[in-house]
């Protein structure tokens, strides 16, 4: 057969692949490979077999060729076949020997020299070495060697910043702390035209900076991704991934209503955007929107019955309506489907903690802390459980560990302040509560009203009454429905001897909760004290006979 006719059949194979006619592609690729015995045609046949899900046959074809260990493309495709067959140890053997350090630098296993991953492919192609590093990371992750998986993912993204999947695994599996994520991002070498990608990656990593810094990141991305088409400016301002990142930021800022509104709009535009769906579920949980959770759970189970997110959504619904045993069952199912799905582990622990089953909650949190070293929430929740059982020293240790993992989350500082308050270290409590307020990335909202009240309580314990009153009044600007604020303010005025103001605020507190024992008793004491003061002032005005 002439070369022109063979080339025509190659074109048919490529067209079949583009039209997803894989059986046809396999048929014609087999004939071309038989006619030419060319390595390129053998590789094309193996690719067609791989796409047609004939993994064992594709691996046999590649392994039988004499150049499988010399050509990285052959070796990589053979390893991909082993990945699909879940033969992880064989997959690593096929990829060859290499070592990687904690910084993601790869060394030759034989001579120990650093392997330099210069991009020798054409522009816009991802370095094959980067893809191999990523596959090594997946294999180690499947073998539960998360330390090696983390190092190979870092090597993959460093070898080629276009290998987004490696960064995605590092972020979603919480393998790095917020500082490590920032350090990794700053070490990546982007080409001049990929400035927008650097900005996009900076929006993907943990977002615990102040609001102006985060806003600047999103603005920079919008500017760098802009291009002029005709008379209009095209940007990524309305890109779904970018807006999903912004929704995540709103959730971290505890602006749940804004988060929910944004994710609702995004899901109308793209109802199957799963990252946005996860944030939407979290916002609906915080808002107590059980109807939305029910609808989302039904749709997800129907569309994605084999995904952990679907059963996590069912668990969220039951958790929201306070059916914790059912919630626990579905959170557990989500973890069994995907053991690296961190929200399910946190939900599983919380479902135990809500029923004060501390040992089981601790077990779930400890598992999550082991699996997700870059996530501070499991450690934080362990501290909360210790605090619930009045083990304040242990609670303080775990809160400090959470602070080391994520030094910019205000919730960590709030819990440290609460522990210090319970340990009667009021000056320390004031320091931690002030740090909490300084780390809140956006303007104060009702969510942070308890922190302001706690700070006022700590000042009252230190007998700094003017400061205490100032913070109680600040808390009232955030919420007028807090019994603790009114009773604390009343008691502070009472301690100052300002009985009229104290009586007024005791009455306001009792209006919120008429049977509050403390306010009822202290109101009677304040009335007696005011009467006594009135009598003494009258006696002082009466001149002796």
């Amino acid at each position: 057969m002439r070369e022109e006719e063979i080339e025509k059949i190659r074109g048919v194979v490529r067209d079949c692949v583009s039209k997803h006619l894989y059986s046809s592609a396999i048929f014609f690729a087999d004939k071309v490979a038989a006619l030419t015995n060319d390595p390129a045609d053998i590789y094309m046949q193996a690719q067609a077999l791989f796409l047609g899900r004939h993994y064992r046959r594709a691996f046999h074809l590649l392994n039988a060729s004499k150049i499988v260990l010399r050509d990285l493309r052959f070796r990589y495709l053979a390893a991909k076949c082993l990945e699909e067959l879940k033969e992880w140890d064989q997959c690593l053997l096929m990829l060859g020997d290499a070592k990687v350090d904690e910084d993601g630098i790869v060394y030759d296993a034989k001579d120990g020299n650093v392997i330099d991953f210069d991009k020798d492919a054409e522009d816009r192609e991802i370095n094959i070495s980067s893809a191999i590093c990523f596959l090594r990371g997946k294999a180690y992750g499947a073998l539960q060697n998360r330390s090696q998986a983390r190092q190979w993912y870092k090597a993959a993204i460093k070898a080629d910043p276009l290998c987004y999947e490696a960064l995605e695994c590092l972020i979603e599996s919480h393998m790095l702390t917020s500082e490590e994520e920032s350090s990794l991002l700053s070490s990546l070498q982007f080409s001049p035209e990929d400035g927008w990608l650097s900005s996009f990656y900076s929006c993907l990593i943990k977002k615990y900076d102040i609001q102006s810094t985060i806003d600047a990141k999103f603005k920079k991305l919008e500017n760098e991704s802009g291009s002029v088409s005709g008379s209009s400016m095209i940007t990524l301002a309305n890109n779904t991934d970018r807006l999903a990142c912004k929704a995540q930021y709103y959730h971290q800022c505890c602006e749940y209503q804004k988060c929910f509104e944004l994710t609702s709009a995004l899901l109308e535009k793209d109802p199957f955007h799963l990252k946005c769906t996860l944030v939407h579920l979290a916002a609906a949980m915080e808002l107590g929107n059980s109807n939305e959770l029910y609808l989302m759970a039904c749709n997800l189970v129907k569309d994605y019955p084999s995904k952990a997110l679907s059963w996590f959504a069912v668990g969220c619904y039951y958790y929201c309506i306070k059916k914790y045993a059912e919630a626990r069952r579905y959170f557990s199912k989500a973890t069994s489907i995907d053991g690296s799905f961190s929200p399910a582990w946190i939900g599983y622990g919380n479902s135990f903690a809500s029923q004060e089953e501390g040992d089981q909650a601790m077990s779930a949190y400890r598992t999550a802390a082991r699996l997700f070293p870059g996530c501070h929430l499991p450690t934080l929740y362990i501290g909360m459980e210790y605090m619930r059982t009045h083990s304040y020293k242990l609670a303080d240790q775990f809160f400090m560990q959470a602070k080391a993992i994520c030094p910019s989350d205000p919730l960590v500082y709030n819990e440290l302040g609460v522990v210090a308050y319970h340990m009667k270290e009021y000056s320390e409590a004031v320091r931690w509560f002030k740090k909490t307020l300084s780390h809140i990335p956006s303007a104060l909202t009702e969510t942070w009203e308890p922190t302001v009240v706690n700070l006022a309580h700590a000042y009252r314990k230190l007998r700094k009454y003017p400061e205490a009153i100032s913070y109680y009044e600040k808390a009232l600007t955030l919420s007028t429905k807090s019994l603790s604020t009114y009773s604390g303010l009343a008691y502070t005025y009472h301690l100052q001897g300002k009985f009229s103001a104290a009586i007024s605020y005791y009455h306001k507190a009792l209006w919120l909760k008429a049977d509050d024992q403390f306010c009822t008793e202290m109101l009677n004491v304040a009335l007696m004290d005011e009467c006594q003061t009135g009598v003494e002032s009258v006696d002082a005005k009466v001149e002796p006979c």
Side-chain angles (χ1 to χ4, degrees):
M1 189 177 288
R2 290 180 301 174
E3 180 61 33
E4 298 83 24
E5 293 173 335
I6 294 174
E7 185 59 37
K8 183 178 178 181
I9 301 174
R10 289 189 186 110
V12 171
V13 174
R14 287 191 290 268
D15 187 60
C16 289
V17 168
S18 69
K19 291 183 170 68
H20 310 288
L21 301 170
Y22 299 128
S23 292
S24 299
I26 292 167
F27 176 82
F28 289 109
D30 174 66
K31 306 308 173 283
V32 172
L35 286 166
T36 66
N37 203 31
D38 188 289
D41 292 326
I42 294 171
Y43 182 77
M44 182 174 68
Q45 182 187 359
Q47 268 198 321
L49 288 167
F50 181 86
L51 292 170
R53 300 186 178 183
H54 298 277
Y55 305 120
R56 186 71 67 184
R57 187 181 171 194
F59 175 71
H60 176 75
L61 177 67
L62 291 163
N63 205 32
S65 68
K66 296 179 180 179
I67 63 169
V68 66
L69 297 178
R70 300 198 308 270
D71 191 313
L72 280 180
R73 294 181 310 149
F74 275 66
R75 184 185 296 183
Y76 176 67
L77 186 55
K80 286 293 289 182
C81 293
L82 292 168
E83 175 200 7
E84 294 294 339
L85 295 167
K86 309 298 180 189
E87 296 180 7
W88 300 109
D89 289 313
Q90 292 299 315
C91 177
L92 287 170
L93 283 173
M94 177 55 66
L95 291 171
D97 292 332
K99 293 182 179 179
V100 64
D101 65 12
E102 191 59 44
D103 295 322
I105 299 173
V106 182
Y107 299 86
D108 190 290
K110 295 179 180 178
D111 55 23
N113 292 329
V114 176
I115 298 175
D116 187 19
F117 293 135
D118 287 333
K119 289 195 70 170
D120 53 2
E122 295 180 15
D123 286 346
R124 307 299 93 186
E125 282 190 13
I126 293 178
N127 193 325
I128 186 68
S129 299
S130 175
I132 288 173
C133 289
F134 174 69
L135 186 51
R136 279 198 182 102
K138 284 189 75 175
Y140 278 116
L143 294 169
Q144 301 301 312
N145 190 338
R146 294 178 65 81
S147 174
Q148 280 287 305
R150 180 180 68 250
Q151 292 170 16
W152 281 110
Y153 287 145
K154 289 170 71 174
I157 190 71
K158 282 190 170 185
D160 193 337
L162 298 180
C163 188
Y164 163 76
E165 286 179 78
L167 182 67
E168 183 181 43
C169 287
L170 288 169
I171 292 172
E172 293 193 355
S173 297
H174 298 282
M175 292 184 168
L176 305 175
T177 65
S178 55
E179 289 183 355
E180 287 171 338
E181 286 181 355
S182 299
S183 175
L184 174 64
L185 196 58
S186 64
S187 70
L188 300 183
Q189 297 179 350
F190 292 94
S191 60
E193 64 270 23
D194 287 336
W196 69 272
L197 185 61
S198 174
S199 299
F200 212 125
Y201 283 177
S202 71
C203 294
L204 292 173
I205 63 175
K206 293 182 177 71
K207 296 172 273 291
Y208 285 105
D209 297 321
I210 60 173
Q211 185 174 15
S212 58
T213 304
I214 299 296
D215 288 342
K217 284 183 179 181
F218 283 113
K219 190 67 178 175
K220 183 180 179 184
L221 170 60
E222 190 176 333
N223 292 338
E224 289 190 346
S225 64
S227 62
V228 178
S229 177
S231 59
S232 60
M233 186 74 173
I234 302 173
T235 73
L236 290 174
N238 295 317
N239 176 257
T240 311
D241 284 342
R242 175 187 174 277
L243 293 175
C245 287
K246 199 150 198 175
Q248 275 186 326
Y249 176 63
Y250 286 146
H251 186 269
Q252 288 178 357
C253 293
C254 302
E255 296 183 16
Y256 302 120
Q257 188 59 44
K258 285 176 73 174
C259 175
F260 183 79
E261 289 170 1
L262 179 54
T263 53
S264 297
L266 287 177
L267 290 174
E268 281 187 19
K269 178 182 176 183
D270 184 356
F272 303 105
H273 193 289
L274 296 185
K275 290 180 183 177
C276 181
T277 299
L278 178 59
V279 183
H280 187 71
L281 291 170
M285 272 279 290
E286 294 292 347
L287 296 170
N289 193 337
S290 58
N291 289 339
E292 181 68 14
L293 288 169
Y294 179 80
L295 291 171
M296 291 293 294
C298 289
N299 289 331
L300 284 167
V301 168
K302 181 186 71 176
D303 295 329
Y304 303 103
S306 60
K307 282 195 175 289
L309 177 65
S310 304
W311 302 105
F312 171 74
V314 178
C316 287
Y317 167 70
Y318 281 114
Y319 190 93
C320 188
I321 61 174
K322 296 183 169 51
K323 290 189 176 181
Y324 300 116
E326 289 86 349
R328 186 155 55 244
R329 185 164 72 249
Y330 288 107
F331 287 141
S332 178
K333 182 169 183 174
T335 62
S336 66
I337 292 173
D338 183 0
S340 64
F341 189 61
S342 58
W345 284 106
I346 300 294
Y348 187 55
N350 287 352
S351 64
F352 281 116
S354 297
Q355 294 183 307
E356 298 188 355
E357 297 181 28
D359 291 341
Q360 293 93 329
M362 287 285 210
S363 176
Y365 293 144
R366 286 195 179 100
T367 302
R370 176 175 56 81
L371 292 175
F372 314 110
C375 182
H376 68 294
L377 293 178
T379 310
L380 183 65
Y381 284 129
I382 291 171
M384 289 179 177
E385 279 301 299
Y386 276 123
M387 189 160 62
R388 187 178 62 80
T389 57
H390 308 294
S391 302
Y392 299 125
K393 288 287 185 183
L394 284 169
D396 186 69
Q397 289 177 19
F398 279 95
F399 290 146
M400 291 302 288
Q401 286 181 29
K403 174 178 169 289
I405 296 170
C406 185
S408 47
D409 184 1
L411 184 58
V412 176
Y413 295 101
N414 181 72
E415 296 305 315
L416 283 165
V418 172
V419 166
Y421 186 91
H422 282 302
M423 294 169 69
K424 299 184 178 180
E425 298 174 357
Y426 301 119
S427 296
E428 274 295 287
V430 166
R431 185 171 75 86
W432 289 123
F433 288 137
K434 281 195 165 183
K435 274 204 165 189
T436 303
L437 298 178
S438 68
H439 278 82
I440 293 170
S442 56
L444 278 180
T445 61
E446 187 175 349
T447 305
W448 298 104
E449 182 261 351
T451 301
V452 180
V453 174
N454 289 340
L455 179 55
H457 288 336
Y459 271 126
R460 192 194 72 233
K461 289 287 189 179
L462 292 169
R463 299 174 185 266
K464 296 183 177 180
Y465 301 131
E467 291 89 341
I469 290 170
S470 171
Y471 279 102
Y472 281 129
E473 290 175 344
K474 189 171 186 177
L476 286 176
T477 64
L478 301 174
S479 174
T480 57
K481 298 177 182 178
S482 173
L483 174 69
S484 180
T485 307
Y486 285 114
S487 61
L489 193 52
Y491 190 50
T492 306
Y493 278 125
H494 197 160
L495 292 170
Q496 283 186 309
K498 298 177 180 178
F499 303 120
S500 296
I503 290 167
S504 173
Y505 281 107
Y506 282 134
H507 277 300
K508 289 180 180 180
L510 289 167
W511 183 77
L512 292 173
K513 187 180 179 184
D515 60 346
D516 185 74
Q517 186 177 354
F518 173 80
C519 290
T520 302
E521 291 177 0
M522 293 309 299
L523 175 60
N524 292 331
V525 173
L527 289 167
M528 291 173 64
D529 288 342
E530 187 177 44
C531 291
Q532 184 66 31
T533 303
V535 170
E536 288 175 359
S537 63
V538 169
D539 289 344
K541 290 178 182 178
V542 177
E543 295 181 4
C545 297

